[in-house]
Amino acid sequence: MMKLQQTQSYSFSDDIRASGPLPWVHHPFEQGYRVAILLLSDILALAGAWKIARYLNQFYSPLPPQLVWWKWFGIPSLFWVFVAGTLLLFACENLYGSAKNSQNYLKTVKLVSFIYLFSLVISYFYDPKVDPPRSLFFTAWVSSVVFVLVGRLLTTLILGQMQARQPKKTVFIIASAAQLPKLLQILQRRSQYQVVGAALATTANSTTTLNSILDSKAVEVLAEDLPHTNLASALYWNLRRTGITLRLLPSSREILYRRGVSEIMAGLPTLRVETPLLVGWDYRLKRLVDFIGSFIGITLLSPLFIMIALIIKLSSKGPIFFRQERTGLQGKTFYMWKFRTMVNNASQLQSQLEAHNESQDGIMFKMKNDPRIIPFGHFMRRTSIDELPQLFNVLMGHMSLVGPRPLPLRDVEKFQAWHHIRHQVVPGITGLWQISGRSDLQDFNDAARLDLFYIDNWSLNLDLDILVETVRIVLFGKGAY
């Protein structure tokens, strides 16, 4: 009979999940003001919704006295109960956590709706004779959803711009010997990051590497190709104890894992990637949003279209619009429309400028000081106004508001085989490529990987997040020329 090892005393702090002595040391300061701003935004949004609901219903359907226990700042107690419940639920669902979690707009709408529906059940058990005014209830519900959603969208714009002005974020890189130089070069091109150390992926779980990370004072670790170990999360837990964020560069397979639900099947740990109850409803909703959004956009922006058309016509000879054949869904071609930003014979002149192409792989043509651009064209490109006519492409079904950017036939002819995977979805006016560097991306492989990440990780919330970030980037002219 095998003898058991002698029992030794231990402390619960030895558990890998336990935090270090000062877990807040490495947390970036912006995390605190992000939470504060989001909390203030949610409270003001809910207060505004209730103010409107009370004003619209005070004359014919006021709140029953049985539901008014006290007032604070002129708002009845029931509102503060709703606020407390909403904020607590948001916190439990991590909507005050990282930027990605706080920008989960669909979950935000669902949680606000859940609070109101749950309140109906509570009110019945509280006093079945008390009938909350239906008009007040539905007005407050709809207003709360709209105000909280709009508030979080605006807050995202503000926080995104504040983050862009923060000091450089210190990053430690863990990757293979072949990938380390490339990752270092990519991060050095981004002014908001500073690489403070690096280690080979084969040493990721060693004590030496962990000590190097701690000594470097890095706030984040960027890792790729981590070695297989019995405990895959060992590096994560070691970093978590000290408050350092771990970022992994995922493969397509790992992204698929994220869609799975952890379950035990026949004693085996598995990930169940389930099919939704209503297959394709989210994509149908996306197409509906495309149609409605493009129609409203064209209607509201029509005066701007006319003004831009006059400026182009008066400042440069040639047509107002530029029409170019692009590759779309399943490799089919279509004509994409833009406001003309170059001289009329720009396409013929491009062959003479190919030697000055600043794109490293030559697939896309990029030239910062392109001599073909007309005077007003620089402003249109910097503000992305030249892209607005693509709303007509969206309305006609050639494009979507969000998706991989359709490229000219000249670029597609230079594609590698795996690049064509991006053509399996409808192209878009904006996408992950546009909000992740735009003209700063020098290698098309990086842009293609962003497109594949978008396809693998697509959701309605991701589309909305991309649209919000696009607005912020366009307003401040980042990376466009």
Side-chain angles (χ1 to χ4, degrees):
M1 183 175 179
M2 186 173 61
K3 294 183 179 180
L4 297 176
Q5 292 183 348
Q6 184 178 0
T7 303
Q8 297 179 351
S9 62
Y10 62 88
S11 171
F12 283 107
S13 61
D14 294 331
D15 193 310
I16 194 173
R17 298 166 297 179
S19 62
L22 296 175
W24 60 84
V25 170
H26 290 284
H27 285 313
F29 173 73
E30 61 264 21
Q31 184 172 340
Y33 71 68
R34 169 182 291 276
V35 174
I37 292 176
L38 286 172
L39 279 170
L40 181 62
S41 170
D42 291 338
I43 293 173
L44 292 178
L46 293 170
W50 271 70
K51 281 285 188 181
I52 289 178
R54 287 192 67 208
Y55 177 78
L56 295 177
N57 294 275
Q58 62 180 331
F59 302 108
Y60 58 89
S61 188
L63 191 67
Q66 299 94 319
L67 297 178
V68 180
W69 308 300
W70 76 86
K71 287 188 178 182
W72 193 26
F73 293 108
I75 304 177
S77 54
L78 189 60
F79 160 75
W80 298 110
V81 173
F82 268 87
V83 168
T86 303
L87 299 185
L88 181 61
L89 190 58
F90 280 10
C92 292
E93 292 295 325
N94 205 23
L95 289 183
Y96 295 111
S98 64
K100 181 176 178 59
N101 290 327
S102 64
Q103 293 166 19
N104 195 332
Y105 308 110
L106 294 181
K107 180 184 283 189
T108 300
V109 172
K110 291 177 182 177
L111 293 181
V112 173
S113 299
F114 171 80
I115 286 289
Y116 276 87
L117 293 176
F118 184 68
S119 68
L120 290 179
V121 179
I122 295 298
S123 64
Y124 176 80
F125 286 102
Y126 172 74
D127 189 346
K129 297 180 180 179
V130 176
D131 185 18
R134 292 180 178 83
S135 57
L136 177 65
F137 176 84
F138 284 106
T139 305
W141 179 9
V142 175
S143 300
S144 295
V145 168
V146 173
F147 279 36
V148 171
L149 183 58
V150 172
R152 285 201 161 229
L153 290 172
L154 294 177
T155 301
T156 299
L157 293 176
I158 297 172
L159 289 174
Q161 193 57 25
M162 291 175 65
Q163 186 177 6
R165 298 181 180 180
Q166 290 297 313
K168 291 185 176 181
K169 185 175 293 185
T170 52
V171 180
F172 191 97
I173 304 176
I174 299 177
S176 63
Q179 283 292 97
L180 273 177
K182 181 178 180 181
L183 292 177
L184 178 61
Q185 184 182 20
I186 291 174
L187 291 177
Q188 285 176 338
R189 288 204 303 262
R190 303 292 189 270
S191 58
Q192 66 269 38
Y193 297 108
Q194 178 185 357
V195 178
V196 293
L200 293 176
T202 53
T203 67
N205 295 304
S206 68
T207 304
T208 302
T209 297
L210 179 61
N211 290 334
S212 297
I213 296 172
L214 298 178
D215 293 340
S216 70
K217 305 298 182 184
V219 298
E220 289 192 1
V221 171
L222 177 65
E224 184 179 27
D225 295 330
L226 292 179
H228 294 286
T229 59
N230 291 332
L231 182 61
S233 58
L235 178 62
Y236 162 73
W237 285 112
N238 284 326
L239 294 176
R240 186 179 185 269
R241 285 166 59 91
T242 56
I244 299 176
T245 300
L246 174 63
R247 291 184 183 269
L248 298 175
L249 290 174
S251 66
S252 295
R253 182 179 60 183
E254 289 165 339
I255 293 172
L256 181 61
Y257 288 166
R258 292 180 55 192
R259 291 184 178 270
V261 178
S262 300
E263 285 187 355
I264 302 297
M265 184 189 74
L268 300 173
T270 67
L271 289 174
R272 176 170 55 86
V273 185
E274 58 185 350
T275 302
L277 182 62
L278 300 176
V279 179
W281 74 269
D282 46 358
Y283 180 72
R284 291 183 177 88
L285 182 57
K286 172 185 171 68
R287 299 305 297 155
L288 179 62
V289 170
D290 284 339
F291 180 82
I292 296 176
S294 58
F295 179 79
I296 294 176
I298 292 170
T299 303
L300 296 179
L301 295 174
S302 54
L304 179 62
F305 281 22
I306 296 173
M307 183 178 66
I308 294 173
L310 290 174
I311 295 176
I312 294 175
K313 199 65 179 177
L314 295 175
S315 62
S316 174
K317 294 182 179 180
I320 295 171
F321 296 101
F322 172 71
R323 190 185 72 159
Q324 187 180 49
E325 198 170 9
R326 299 284 178 110
T327 304
L329 181 63
Q330 300 300 337
K332 298 178 181 178
T333 59
F334 69 97
Y335 283 101
M336 192 185 78
W337 293 83
K338 300 174 67 174
F339 282 120
R340 184 171 60 86
T341 60
M342 293 186 174
V343 295
N344 197 27
N345 62 337
S347 300
Q348 291 77 14
L349 294 175
Q350 181 169 328
S351 59
Q352 304 174 17
L353 300 172
E354 286 288 352
H356 303 283
N357 189 358
E358 298 173 6
S359 176
Q360 292 180 356
D361 51 23
I363 293 182
M364 297 178 292
F365 183 84
K366 291 184 179 182
M367 190 174 177
K368 194 166 188 178
N369 298 313
D370 197 323
R372 300 172 298 168
I373 301 178
I374 62 178
F376 187 61
H378 289 286
F379 173 78
M380 286 192 290
R381 285 176 167 240
R382 188 169 60 252
T383 58
S384 298
I385 290 177
D386 60 318
E387 310 286 355
L388 291 179
Q390 289 157 43
L391 291 172
F392 289 101
N393 287 116
V394 177
L395 191 64
M396 292 184 291
H398 300 147
M399 295 175 64
S400 174
L401 294 176
V402 181
R405 186 72 175 155
L407 294 179
L409 304 186
R410 172 248 178 221
D411 298 352
V412 176
E413 290 174 355
K414 299 182 180 182
F415 273 15
Q416 299 177 29
W418 69 276
H419 291 162
H420 291 279
I421 299 175
R422 66 197 304 273
H423 294 145
Q424 295 185 20
V425 298
V426 178
I429 296 178
T430 185
L432 277 179
W433 173 5
Q434 281 63 48
I435 68 171
S436 302
R438 302 178 78 186
S439 299
D440 294 335
L441 293 175
Q442 300 298 323
D443 190 342
F444 181 73
N445 286 333
D446 296 333
R449 289 189 186 97
L450 289 173
D451 291 333
L452 266 60
F453 178 90
Y454 169 79
I455 297 172
D456 283 332
N457 209 41
W458 177 77
S459 67
L460 288 172
N461 196 80
L462 179 59
D463 275 3
L464 185 56
D465 195 19
I466 291 173
L467 286 173
V468 173
E469 184 65 12
T470 300
V471 171
R472 187 186 71 83
I473 290 175
V474 168
L475 290 177
F476 297 96
K478 178 186 176 183
Y481 56 80

